[in-house]
Amino acid sequence: MMDHGSEETGQLADGVRSGDVLRIARALSIVENGHSTASSLMHSLFDPARREITIGVTGPPGAGKSSLTSRLISYWRGLHRRVGVIAVDPSSPFSGGALLGDRVRMQEHASDSGVFIRSMGSRGHLGGLAGSTRDALEILSAASYDPVIVETVGVGQAEVEVASLADITILVLVPGLGDEVQAMKAGIMEIGDVIVLNKADRPGIDQLEASVSASLEMMPAEAVRPPVIRTSAQTGEGIDDLTRLLSSMARDLANTDEVVRRRVSLTLESILRERGRELARRIVHREFHSTEEAVDSIIRGDTTPYEIGELIAGYTGTGERT
Amino acid sequence: MERKIRVLIGKPGLDGHDRGAKYIARALRDAGMEVIYTGIRQTPEAIANAAIQEDVDFVGLSLLSGAHGHLFPQVARLLREKGGDRIVLFGGGVIPEEDIPQLKEAGFRAIFTPGTSAGDVVDFICSEMENPS
C-alpha cells in the first residue's frame, strides 16, 4: 500500500477536511499542476461513501450554464448548505493560456464565504473538462461542500465526459442554437440524468421540446428516460421544479451501494486510463528507447503499431514476453 | 502537467468601463497565462475571496473612477488578512503620478497608467516570476 505521503501532505488533507480555504485552494493547485504529491493527497482524501453529492452542468456554448449554476447556488445557500463550484473553460491550444470568465455570471455569490468557486482551464484535455476535474470535485466534497457543481466547457456533440464524473448530470439545451436535432443525434442526450430546456421565455421553446421528446422516444425501451424541465435562468421560471427534482434525486442517491460502486469504478477506470498510458509508454521506451524510435522501427517495416500493442498487453513486468 | 501562471483581473468600485481590463486579460491569456476575470463593480472583499479560492499568483486591479486611493489598499489589506500575502499586486487605470508612491507603499508592485502596452504588463509578470521579491 502507498504510504500516506509526507507529514505536509497529511496536514494539507486535514486542512481540506476542516474547510480551511487556503489549504483547499492549495490542494486544488496541487492536483491541477500534477504535483508529485497529488496522488498521496488524493489517496488520503478519497471517500466514495461520502454523502456529498456532485452535479454536472453541461450543454452547448451560450446555453446559460453559468446563469443556471448561479440560480442553483442561490437555492442551496437558502437552505444554508455550503456550495462548491468547479467552472471549466477552454485553454487556448496556441498559447496554452485561458480566459476564465464564469465568475462574471456568479458575481452575486462572490462575497459569500459559504460558496467556493474555482475556475479551471481545460489545459489540452478533451471532453469538456480539465484532466484534474475529478480530483477537484473530490477535494471540494472532502471539504464538505454539498453539493459540488461542475460546469463544463460548452460542449459539442461528443464531449460528454462529465457524465462519468458527477453523480447527477444536467444537460442544458436552448432554443435557436442552430439545428436542434444536430445536438441530439450524436447521443449527447443520453448523458443527461435531467434535461433542462433553458431560456424558456424565448421563441422556439416548443419546437425544442418536441424534438427532445422525439429523440427520447427513440431511446431503447428499457432505458430510463430523463425528466425534461423548462427553465429560465433569467426570470427564475422553472427553477423551483428543477431544484425540487435535484433534491429528491440527491436524497435517493445518498449513501446507496449503487452510488458508491459507481464512484469507485469510474475513478478506477480513470486511473487505469491515465496510469495505464504511462505504463505503456514506459514499456515502449524500454523496448525501443523512445516513442520516436518506435515510430522509426515501424516505418522501417520491423514492426507495426498493432504488434507493439500486443507486446504491451502481454508484458509481464519481468522483461519477458508471454 | 506544467504549472501555469494564474492572474486575477478585477474591477473594484463603481465604474463600468472594462475595456482596459479585458484587453489586458486577453493579452495575458495570449502570453500563456490563466486569467480569471471577475467582472465589473466588485467589492474588495469579493476580489480578495476570489483570489484566495483561485490560488492566483497575481492580482491586477483596474480602476478609472478615481477611487484607487481607497479601494486598492483595501484589497491589499484583505488579501494579507486572508493569508494571500505571497500574491503580487499590480494596478492600472487613470491614476495620477503623485498617487503612485502611496499605492506602492500599500503593497502594489507596479502601477500601469494610460498608454501602457500589454507587453509591459506581460514583462512585469514574467520578471516577477523569475525574481520573486
Side-chain angles (χ1 to χ4, degrees):
Chain A
M1 281 265 87
M2 182 188 287
D3 72 39
H4 288 252
S6 62
E7 198 180 334
E8 207 177 322
T9 300
Q11 277 172 6
L12 189 59
D14 288 344
V16 168
R17 276 188 289 257
S18 70
D20 176 338
V21 175
L22 275 175
R23 291 219 164 85
I24 297 167
R26 174 87 196 105
L28 290 169
S29 298
I30 282 175
V31 298
E32 192 171 28
N33 294 327
H35 192 271
S36 58
T37 57
S39 283
S40 64
L41 175 67
M42 293 314 300
H43 172 74
S44 62
L45 292 179
F46 182 63
D47 176 13
R50 71 170 81 261
R51 65 176 174 78
E52 290 83 6
I53 296 286
T54 56
I55 298 176
V57 179
T58 191
K65 296 183 290 296
S66 300
S67 304
L68 194 70
T69 300
S70 187
R71 287 277 186 182
L72 294 178
I73 298 170
S74 302
Y75 166 75
W76 278 298
R77 288 303 291 145
L79 300 177
H80 306 291
R81 300 259 291 267
R82 294 161 72 242
V83 182
V85 178
I86 302 289
V88 190
D89 270 324
S91 297
S92 159
F94 304 108
S95 72
L99 194 48
L100 310 172
D102 290 317
R103 277 181 171 272
V104 175
R105 283 183 197 79
M106 301 178 200
Q107 275 188 4
E108 60 177 300
H109 308 293
S111 316
D112 181 351
S113 60
V115 181
F116 192 113
I117 303 173
R118 181 64 173 242
S119 314
M120 296 180 104
S122 61
R123 299 194 182 182
H125 187 86
L126 302 174
L129 298 169
S132 51
T133 307
R134 179 185 305 279
D135 294 344
L137 290 180
E138 188 76 22
I139 288 169
L140 289 187
S141 298
S144 302
Y145 290 97
D146 183 24
V148 181
I149 305 172
V150 53
E151 183 192 324
T152 73
V153 171
V155 296
Q157 298 191 343
E159 296 143 323
V160 295
E161 194 186 350
V162 67
S164 71
L165 247 88
D167 296 323
I168 302 171
T169 301
I170 305 174
L171 173 63
V172 187
L173 300 171
V174 281
L177 266 184
D179 183 357
E180 275 125 30
V181 187
Q182 193 64 23
M184 283 140 226
K185 71 177 180 198
I188 72 167
M189 300 276 299
E190 278 88 339
I191 68 160
D193 299 306
V194 180
I195 296 180
V196 164
L197 309 181
N198 196 27
K199 306 194 185 179
D201 48 324
R202 296 261 179 103
I205 187 73
D206 293 329
Q207 294 93 303
L208 175 65
E209 178 150 18
S211 59
V212 167
S213 305
S215 59
L216 289 180
E217 271 159 31
M218 284 168 13
M219 288 172 73
E222 70 281 4
V224 181
R225 281 174 183 64
V228 179
I229 293 186
R230 287 192 187 195
T231 62
S232 166
Q234 217 47 241
T235 67
E237 176 195 338
I239 299 295
D240 286 348
D241 298 334
L242 177 61
T243 51
R244 206 172 303 127
L245 177 67
L246 290 173
S247 295
S248 91
M249 289 173 95
R251 248 193 322 275
D252 292 346
L253 276 179
N255 276 324
T256 57
D257 293 346
E258 190 191 337
V259 80
V260 174
R261 175 157 278 277
R262 180 172 187 272
R263 287 168 176 172
V264 169
S265 63
L266 290 173
T267 306
L268 181 59
E269 281 299 330
S270 143
I271 297 285
L272 292 179
R273 213 162 35 238
E274 296 298 320
R275 307 311 287 263
R277 194 176 294 140
E278 281 168 34
L279 176 64
R281 193 170 291 121
R282 269 211 304 282
I283 294 169
V284 168
H285 288 194
R286 188 148 150 188
E287 295 288 325
F288 297 92
H289 304 290
S290 70
T291 314
E292 273 305 298
E293 283 181 53
V295 170
D296 291 339
S297 173
I298 294 165
I299 292 171
R300 277 197 308 274
D302 296 341
T303 184
T304 65
Y306 305 95
E307 193 176 53
I308 294 176
E310 285 298 308
L311 168 75
I312 291 166
Y315 212 76
T316 59
T318 55
E320 314 234 323
R321 297 173 206 177
T322 51
Chain B
M1 182 63 69
E2 168 198 2
R3 187 188 179 297
K4 297 274 177 205
I5 300 173
R6 284 168 71 86
V7 185
L8 182 137
I9 299 290
K11 276 194 63 65
L14 297 176
D15 87 272
H17 303 281
D18 60 356
R19 240 185 102 154
K22 284 181 169 165
Y23 167 70
I24 294 297
R26 274 192 291 270
L28 299 181
R29 174 199 60 188
D30 293 343
M33 302 172 197
E34 288 186 347
V35 185
I36 292 103
Y37 180 62
T38 62
I40 56 174
R41 301 195 179 101
Q42 294 291 289
T43 62
E45 179 78 23
I47 289 173
N49 272 353
I52 299 289
Q53 294 181 351
E54 300 284 359
D55 195 22
V56 293
D57 306 294
F58 294 82
V59 167
L61 302 179
S62 160
L63 196 64
L64 306 179
S65 72
H68 49 266
H70 171 58
L71 292 172
F72 281 20
Q74 222 176 316
V75 173
R77 180 177 55 78
L78 285 167
L79 273 179
R80 274 195 301 274
E81 281 174 17
K82 291 171 190 289
D85 26 331
R86 47 145 218 101
I87 298 173
V88 177
L89 281 156
F90 63 96
V94 186
I95 294 165
E97 283 293 331
E98 61 265 30
D99 292 354
I100 294 179
Q102 177 218 337
L103 295 175
K104 293 212 163 157
E105 183 84 0
F108 281 72
R109 294 279 298 161
I111 297 293
F112 299 96
T113 49
T116 304
S117 83
D120 296 341
V121 183
V122 173
D123 290 346
F124 160 72
I125 289 178
C126 292
S127 79
E128 285 286 328
M129 287 303 288
E130 277 161 28
N131 313 298
S133 49

